[in-house]
Amino acid sequence: MRWWRRSAVEALVIAGSLSPAASVATVDHAGTAAAAAAHDDARPPAGVPSGATPGASTEAPDPIPPAAPSTDARLALSPDGHFGAWLVAGPFDKNKRPDEERLAPRLGAPIGDTRWILASATRGPLDLVAALDARVRDRIAYAAGVMHIERAGRHVLLLGVDDGVSVLVDGKRVFTHDEARPLRDDDDLVPLDLAAGDHTIVLVLHQWIGAWVFRARMLDPELEPPLGARWVLPGAAGQEATLASRMSVVAFDRGLAADGYHPVVTVRYPEGAPVGADLGLRARLVRKVDAVTVAADAAPADEEALFDVDAGQVPIGDRGVADLSVALPRVAADEVEDHDWNVHAEVAGRSLDLPMHPRRAVRDAVAHAERALAEARADPSSWLPASAADSVEFLHDRLVAFVARGDGDLQAQADDARELEELASAIDAKRDPYAGRTGPMRRAYRSPADGKLSEFALYVPPGFKPSRKYPLIVALHGMNGRPMEMLMWLFGHDDPDRDGNWEDRHPRKNLEPLDAIVVAPDGHFNAMYRDLGEEDVMRVADWAAANYPIDASRVTVTGPSMGGIGSAACALHHPDRFAAAEPLCGYHSLLIRELGWMRPWERFLAEVQSNVLWAENGQYLPLYIVHGTKDLPEENSGVLIDRYDELHYDVKHEHPELGHNVWQPTYEDLKGAKWLLDHRRPMHPRALRFKTARTRWGDDAWLHVRELSSSTGWGEVFARVDKDNVIRASAHGVAALAFDRDPALLDDAAAVTVGIDQSKLTFQAGEPIELYRDHGAWKAGPAPHEGDYKHGTVTGPIRDVFHEPLLFVWGSSDPAQARANEETARGWARVRNGVHVDYPVMSDAEFFARGEPIANDRALFLVGNARSNRVVRELEPSFPIRVDGDDIVLGATRIQPDDGPAADSQLGAVFIRPNPRRSDRYVVVVEGVGPLGAWRSLSLPEMLPDYVVFDHGVEASRGLLTLGAGTARAAGSFANDWSLPSK
C-alpha cells in the first residue's frame, strides 16, 4: 500500500465567527489554511491620534518614538464573554489583608509575603485550590486583571463563585456577596459603567469551606461580548503560548459513513484565547503499530502520513474568539480499516493524539442498517412496524456515536455490529427483526417530548408465547444509571468491580430465566422520574402493553435510590396501573429536609413532590421497602413505611446494616423480582380511597377526579359500590367527579344512585355518571364553564409544562433583547443538570417562517416581551400579566423596578396559561422589562407556582428547591378559571 500526502484542497475548513470580521478560512494547494480575520484589531501606535495615518507629516513634526514593546498579555473573550486566565495571589488571613483598594496586579510583583502568579482554566471554573496549592478554609485570595473597553457604556460582569466575592473596579468596591454557596455560573450580576480604555478588576475571593472556584464573563447591555474588548494580564507578555496551549479544547468526530470516514476536528477556546499567540491547527492521520505511531513499515519520511493538513489559525474577531471546525480529507475504508490510527493534532503548540479505530465490520453493519431501513420505509406496504424501525435506527445512531468519539471498547462495538447486522438481514427478508427474539435487548421509541429516540432495555423470557399473558416489571435506574445496566442489576448482576458504563455495554446474554416481560426506561437520564421523566416511564409501560401480551393486573415497578423515589411516585400517581412497588433506598419526603421557612405555595409544592403525601392511594399497592441503617437519615424511607402502617396498608420493609447500596442483596438470586411477581392487583375494586393534587393524576379504576376545588390544595375521595346499583361517596377538596359503569360492579341497564356527602343523585341507564359541586351541594352533569378552567393536563404550576411536548420560541424582533432571549430559552430548555432532552428551540422569526401555528400541537414556551417576541405580541391581549414600559402589570397592579436604572433592571415575570388559541395546550411566557429581566429567570428555584414576578432579589435562589433567601415581587396561583387571585 502506498501512503501519500493529501492535497489540502480536499480539506474544508469552516471558521465559525461571531461577526463579519472573522471570515471563512480557505485551504491552498500547499496544505495550509488562512483565515481572513486578523488576530487582533489594528490600532495606531502609541502617540498617534485616533484616525491619523502613522508616518504622515505635519507642519511641525515631532519625532514619534517607537512604541515600547508590551509587557502584558491580552486575551480575546470567548463567544459567550468568558475570560478564564487571571493573575492570582493568596491565600491570606482575612484579618491581615493588603490594602485592597491600592492593589496593582502584575505577574511576579509582590503582594504581602507572596507574589502574583498566572492561573488559567480550560473549560469551566478556575480552581484556586489547585492554582495556589491551598487547601484552606476561611481565607482570602485575589484574582485580577485589566479589562480593555473599546466603547464606553453600560456593561455587565457575571460571576459564578464558591463562596464569597467582592469586586473592585479601578480601586473602588462595587459589589459584595459573601456567603458559603456552591458555584453556579452567572450567580452574581454586577452592572458597570465603563469608559473607553483600561479598567483594573480585582476579585476578593473568600473561601468558607469545600471547593474554591470561580468563573467570570463580561457582556454589553445586550448580553453580547463587548465589541473590541480585551482582557489584559499585566506583566504576562511571553506567556501567550502557554495560555494558548492550556486553554484550548479539541474535539474530533471520526465521521463514520457508508463510503468511508469524514473526520472533523474542532478547536474551541471556552474561556478566551490569548491575542498574538500561535493558535494554529495542524492534523495528520498516522497509523499506530505496537503502541508506536508510524505511517507504514517502510514509508519514506515525506510520505509518512495518510493526510497532513495545516488548517490555519483559530479566528479572533471583534466580538472575541470563534470556533474553528476543519473537515479533514475523506478517508477511504480500504485505506484504514481494521487497524488503529491516530489523528496527530498540533494545536497552539500542544500535541494531541486523537485515536481512531476504524473497523470494517462496524462500518458494514452501519451501512447495511441504513440501506435496509431506507428500503423498508420506502416500501408502500409499510410492513415494518414503527417500533422495530425506531429501535434499529437507535442502535445504528448509537454505534455511529461511539465511533465518532473514538470509543476504544472494540469488543462492545463488535457485539453491537453483529446485532445490527442480524437486524438488518431480517429487514432485508421482510421480517420483523424483533419477532421471536428473547433475552435482554435494547429498544427505543420516538418520544413526543422532543421527537427524539428514547432508549429503554427490554427482557423477553425464553420460550415466550404470544398466546399467553405475562406480568410486566418496570425497573428504574438510579442517578447516572442506564437502562441496560439497570436490567442487569434487577437480575442480580451488579458487578462491584465494573462501572455502570461497562455494565451497560457488556450485558449478559444468558440471564436466569424469569417468567415476565421486563422494561427499564431511561427516564431522560437524571430527570428524577418527575415531569418528562415520569412521562417516559409511563410511555414505556404503554409500549410494552401495546407490543406484548401483558397481564394488566400484574404490572409492578422497582428501582434503587432515584429509581426508588420514582418507583413509589409513578405507582402512587397511577395507582390503578400497578400491582406492587419495590422502592429501594429512596427519599419520600421533601419536608424532612432542611428547607427552612416556606411560603404556603412552596409548602404545597413540596408536598406534591413527596411520595408520603400520596400514600392514601396505596390501598391496593403493596410496598417492599429496603433501606440501610447506615444510609442516614433512615427517615427518608421511614416516613413512607410509617404512613403505610398508619393506613393499615400492606408494607414489607427491611433494614440491613448497609449504606446506600441495598440493591445488590435485594436483587440477587431474583429475590426482588420474585416478590414483585407474587402480587396481582384487583381489577374491579369495590371500594376506593383516592387522593390527588392535580387532575393530571386524577384516575383510579372507575373513579375520576375532573376538577379540584383549589389549585393549591389536595382533593380526596372515598367511594364504594354497594348492592342495588348504589355508589356511596364522600369528597373533600373536589369540585367535579365522574364514575365509570364498571360492568363487574354495576348493572348498566338499570339506573345508578349516587349518594355523595349530603346529596343523592340518580343517573338513568346509559347516562354518564358525572357530577359537580355547586354551593356545597352536588349536581348531576358536567360542571358548566363559560371559559377556560383548570382541568385535565392543563392546570399549572409552571413546571407542569415539562410533562408535555414543548417548543421553545425566543424573541428576536428587538436586537437589544435577542441574545438574552436566546440564552434564556436555551437555559430553560435544558430543564436542569443531568436531564437528557433536546427540545426544539427557535426564534420567533423562524417560527413564522416555518409556518408553525400558534394553535400548536406542542406547548409553547415563549421567551421575550411583546417588543421582542412576535408570538407574545399576538397573544398578549389575552394575558393578565404583561410588560408595560419599565413596569410589569399584574392585573390591576403595576410593579415598578426597584433595582436601579431601567437599563439594568432585572424585573421580569414568568407565568403559565392555557394557549388562547388552543386551550388543551399550555403556553409559558418568560419576559422582562429589558434583556436582564428575562435572563434573570434562570435564577428561579425548582418549585414555582403559576406565576412569579421577580427581580435581582431572586439571584440567591438559583439551583435551589425554594426561594430560600431569595425574594419575589409577587407569586401565586391562578384561580380555577385562570383569573388572578383577589390578593
Side-chain angles (χ1 to χ4, degrees):
M1 182 180 293
R2 175 176 169 79
W3 307 94
W4 67 92
R5 181 186 303 274
R6 288 290 179 88
S7 165
V9 171
E10 298 181 53
L12 173 64
V13 181
I14 307 167
S17 66
L18 295 173
S19 71
S23 60
V24 176
T26 56
V27 182
D28 63 24
H29 285 266
T32 61
H39 246 249
D40 197 12
D41 305 323
R43 294 190 179 85
V48 178
S50 177
T53 302
S57 63
T58 63
E59 271 187 35
D62 290 327
I64 300 174
S70 174
T71 61
D72 305 333
R74 293 191 300 158
L75 263 72
L77 308 187
S78 77
D80 55 5
H82 281 101
F83 49 104
W86 292 74
L87 300 180
V88 298
F92 295 91
D93 187 306
K94 65 179 182 179
N95 298 316
K96 298 179 181 179
R97 310 184 189 188
D99 184 349
E100 293 171 347
E101 296 182 356
R102 298 176 64 85
L103 289 176
R106 176 166 291 275
L107 183 62
I111 172 174
D113 57 0
T114 186
R115 294 180 180 273
W116 292 99
I117 64 172
L118 183 63
S120 62
T122 301
R123 177 166 45 194
L126 192 154
D127 187 346
L128 281 171
V129 172
L132 300 175
D133 191 22
R135 299 186 178 277
V136 295
R137 57 186 298 178
D138 201 18
R139 290 292 186 271
I140 296 294
Y142 299 95
V146 174
M147 182 62 69
H148 173 82
I149 295 298
E150 195 73 11
R151 297 184 178 183
R154 201 66 163 168
H155 292 74
V156 180
L157 175 65
L158 295 169
L159 298 171
V161 179
D162 174 342
D163 297 301
V165 62
S166 290
V167 179
L168 290 89
V169 178
D170 297 330
K172 296 181 179 179
R173 196 174 305 268
V174 297
F175 178 84
T176 297
H177 184 171
D178 194 7
E179 65 174 343
R181 52 177 168 159
L183 176 128
R184 292 182 292 265
D185 279 357
D186 305 335
D187 236 10
D188 297 324
L189 186 155
V190 187
L192 300 171
D193 274 318
L194 298 177
D198 293 342
H199 301 275
T200 299
I201 296 177
V202 176
L203 305 184
V204 184
L205 299 156
H206 182 192
Q207 162 73 324
W208 286 63
I209 191 171
W212 201 5
V213 293
F214 73 96
R215 198 178 189 206
R217 58 177 175 150
M218 181 70 75
L219 302 174
D220 66 16
E222 294 156 12
L223 297 195
E224 295 273 5
L227 198 67
R230 294 290 183 260
W231 178 240
V232 182
L233 300 169
Q239 299 296 316
E240 291 90 348
T242 299
L243 291 173
S245 176
R246 287 179 179 173
M247 299 178 73
S248 62
V249 173
V250 180
F252 178 36
D253 182 344
R254 282 78 182 164
L256 172 63
D259 64 342
Y261 301 85
H262 300 259
V264 175
V265 176
T266 301
V267 182
R268 298 186 177 92
Y269 280 88
E271 305 302 318
V275 172
D278 176 9
L279 304 183
L281 167 65
R282 181 178 180 184
R284 303 165 62 238
L285 179 62
V286 290
R287 183 175 165 187
K288 192 176 181 183
V289 178
D290 295 330
V292 178
T293 301
V294 299
D297 292 341
D302 62 349
E303 295 181 345
E304 65 178 359
L306 188 55
F307 62 66
D308 189 339
V309 173
D310 183 346
Q313 299 287 315
V314 173
I316 293 179
D318 51 7
R319 291 284 187 186
V321 60
D323 297 341
L324 175 66
S325 289
V326 183
L328 300 172
R330 183 185 74 85
V331 180
D334 59 4
E335 294 177 308
V336 294
E337 282 181 339
D338 297 325
H339 295 285
D340 294 328
W341 297 75
N342 280 327
V343 166
H344 183 74
E346 296 177 7
V347 181
R350 179 162 64 112
S351 295
L352 298 168
D353 283 325
L354 308 170
M356 184 173 175
H357 307 287
R359 294 296 185 265
R360 183 175 300 277
V362 172
R363 185 183 55 81
D364 285 347
V366 165
H368 190 182
E370 288 176 3
R371 292 194 306 271
L373 283 173
E375 291 172 5
R377 285 169 167 161
D379 191 329
S381 65
S382 301
W383 63 270
L384 181 64
S387 63
D390 287 343
S391 295
V392 175
E393 182 181 345
F394 171 79
L395 293 174
H396 164 278
D397 294 350
R398 178 176 179 271
L399 186 51
V400 169
F402 279 128
V403 175
R405 62 176 178 258
D407 167 59
D409 193 339
L410 302 183
Q411 182 59 56
Q413 285 188 36
D415 293 342
D416 292 344
R418 278 192 293 272
E419 180 179 11
L420 199 55
E421 274 287 353
E422 292 171 5
L423 297 170
S425 296
I427 296 174
D428 288 342
K430 290 197 171 184
R431 290 188 289 106
D432 180 345
Y434 291 98
R437 287 193 70 189
T438 61
M441 62 194 90
R442 295 182 201 277
R443 299 297 303 266
Y445 77 101
R446 194 165 298 279
S447 171
D450 57 0
K452 308 296 182 175
L453 293 171
S454 184
E455 177 186 7
F456 61 93
L458 170 70
Y459 169 84
V460 178
F464 169 77
K465 297 179 181 179
S467 59
R468 55 161 291 207
K469 296 279 191 178
Y470 287 84
L472 173 67
I473 298 175
V474 181
L476 307 184
H477 65 76
M479 185 74 73
N480 299 321
R482 301 159 184 83
M484 187 60 75
E485 173 193 11
M486 181 60 215
L487 190 67
M488 295 299 107
W489 285 19
L490 180 70
F491 279 80
H493 299 300
D494 177 13
D495 187 342
D497 296 326
R498 300 285 190 176
D499 64 22
N501 181 63
W502 189 95
E503 290 181 311
D504 183 70
R505 298 193 63 191
H506 295 269
R508 296 182 179 227
K509 300 298 183 183
N510 299 315
L511 295 173
E512 295 80 353
L514 183 67
D515 192 30
I517 304 291
V518 182
V519 289
D522 176 64
H524 293 279
F525 198 48
N526 288 341
M528 302 299 295
Y529 302 109
R530 294 200 295 265
D531 309 328
L532 70 167
E534 178 178 357
E535 297 302 320
D536 185 70
V537 171
M538 301 310 295
R539 288 191 188 110
V540 170
D542 289 342
W543 181 96
N547 289 275
Y548 288 90
I550 301 299
D551 182 346
S553 71
R554 300 185 68 194
V555 178
T556 57
V557 61
T558 185
S561 192
M562 183 180 81
I565 301 171
S567 57
C570 290
L572 291 168
H573 290 168
H574 307 274
D576 58 343
R577 297 287 302 275
F578 295 96
E582 191 175 73
L584 310 182
C585 52
Y587 308 150
H588 300 295
S589 176
L590 294 184
L591 300 176
I592 67 175
R593 297 190 186 182
E594 295 295 330
L595 295 179
W597 176 82
M598 288 187 285
R599 296 147 185 88
W601 52 265
E602 288 178 320
R603 176 164 287 277
F604 173 68
L605 293 173
E607 290 178 357
V608 175
Q609 290 191 25
S610 298
N611 292 334
V612 66
L613 270 297
W614 295 82
E616 284 80 353
N617 295 345
Q619 184 176 6
Y620 302 108
L621 183 78
L623 295 182
Y624 177 18
I625 298 176
V626 185
H627 199 104
T629 59
K630 299 177 183 178
D631 186 6
L632 302 177
E634 282 190 77
E635 189 181 3
N636 282 323
S637 286
V639 288
L640 187 55
I641 295 168
D642 292 346
R643 183 59 181 146
Y644 251 57
D645 283 340
E646 291 170 2
L647 292 164
H648 304 291
Y649 289 173
D650 184 357
V651 58
K652 173 183 177 180
H653 51 96
E654 295 176 358
H655 305 270
E657 292 188 22
L658 295 171
H660 197 51
N661 184 353
V662 296
W663 55 87
Q664 280 186 296
T666 304
Y667 290 146
E668 282 175 355
D669 302 320
L670 296 177
K671 174 184 172 185
K674 290 174 181 176
W675 182 89
L676 291 169
L677 296 182
D678 283 342
H679 292 85
R680 187 184 299 271
R681 178 176 177 80
M683 298 302 292
H684 305 283
R686 187 166 290 277
L688 293 173
R689 180 176 184 178
F690 182 66
K691 180 181 178 184
T692 188
R694 293 182 201 163
T695 51
R696 174 180 297 283
W697 303 297
D699 305 307
D700 188 0
W702 42 266
L703 182 157
H704 309 283
V705 174
R706 299 294 197 215
E707 295 179 52
L708 295 168
S709 301
S710 168
S711 58
T712 57
W714 291 87
E716 189 167 6
V717 180
F718 298 80
R720 178 181 179 84
V721 178
D722 286 341
K723 60 183 180 179
D724 300 326
N725 264 24
V726 174
I727 299 175
R728 302 191 187 279
S730 64
H732 308 280
V734 175
L737 277 171
F739 299 115
D740 294 336
R741 294 173 176 266
D742 186 335
L745 302 172
L746 293 168
D747 180 1
D748 194 31
V752 174
T753 299
V754 176
I756 179 167
D757 299 332
Q758 304 303 313
S759 301
K760 185 175 182 179
L761 306 170
T762 299
F763 297 84
Q764 299 304 316
E767 181 184 3
I769 306 175
E770 295 195 48
L771 52 160
Y772 67 97
R773 198 189 296 267
D774 182 25
H775 295 92
W778 287 92
K779 294 186 177 181
H785 294 281
E786 294 183 0
D788 291 333
Y789 65 101
K790 292 188 173 185
H791 70 291
T793 59
V794 184
T795 62
I798 290 165
R799 293 195 188 271
D800 194 63
V801 75
F802 289 108
H803 281 276
E804 305 298 316
L806 270 172
L807 173 58
F808 286 79
V809 184
W810 54 273
S812 62
S813 302
D814 179 1
Q817 299 184 57
R819 173 74 180 240
N821 288 345
E822 182 178 6
E823 187 169 318
T824 301
R826 296 190 184 282
W828 278 93
R830 287 191 290 271
V831 186
R832 66 182 74 91
N833 286 337
V835 175
H836 289 178
V837 67
D838 188 17
Y839 289 122
V841 181
M842 65 184 66
S843 70
D844 56 341
E846 183 181 358
F847 179 88
F848 287 109
R850 289 170 46 140
E852 290 282 353
I854 294 180
N856 211 280
D857 288 338
R858 292 176 173 270
L860 297 180
F861 200 110
L862 310 177
V863 178
N865 58 31
R867 293 196 307 275
S868 66
N869 193 315
R870 289 171 55 194
V871 186
V872 174
R873 189 155 62 245
E874 291 267 356
L875 297 176
E876 189 174 66
S878 303
F879 294 154
I881 301 173
R882 71 183 191 279
V883 172
D884 184 14
D886 292 335
D887 302 341
I888 299 284
V889 175
L890 183 69
T893 302
R894 183 172 289 272
I895 301 177
Q896 299 178 326
D898 65 359
D899 50 3
D904 295 334
S905 178
Q906 299 169 47
L907 182 63
V910 55
F911 57 91
I912 191 167
R913 307 282 297 168
N915 186 331
R917 305 283 176 86
R918 184 169 176 178
S919 61
D920 64 336
R921 296 290 186 269
Y922 278 127
V923 62
V924 172
V925 177
V926 176
E927 59 185 348
V929 301
L932 294 179
W935 178 86
R936 179 50 80 186
S937 71
L938 297 176
S939 295
L940 288 166
E942 175 73 17
M943 296 193 300
L944 299 172
D946 291 351
Y947 65 87
V948 182
V949 180
F950 55 85
D951 58 16
H952 67 289
V954 79
E955 66 184 10
S957 306
R958 191 165 187 209
L960 303 181
L961 285 171
T962 66
L963 282 168
T967 59
R969 301 293 299 278
S973 297
F974 295 114
N976 277 0
D977 62 358
W978 288 101
S979 63
L980 283 164
S982 57
K983 295 176 107 176

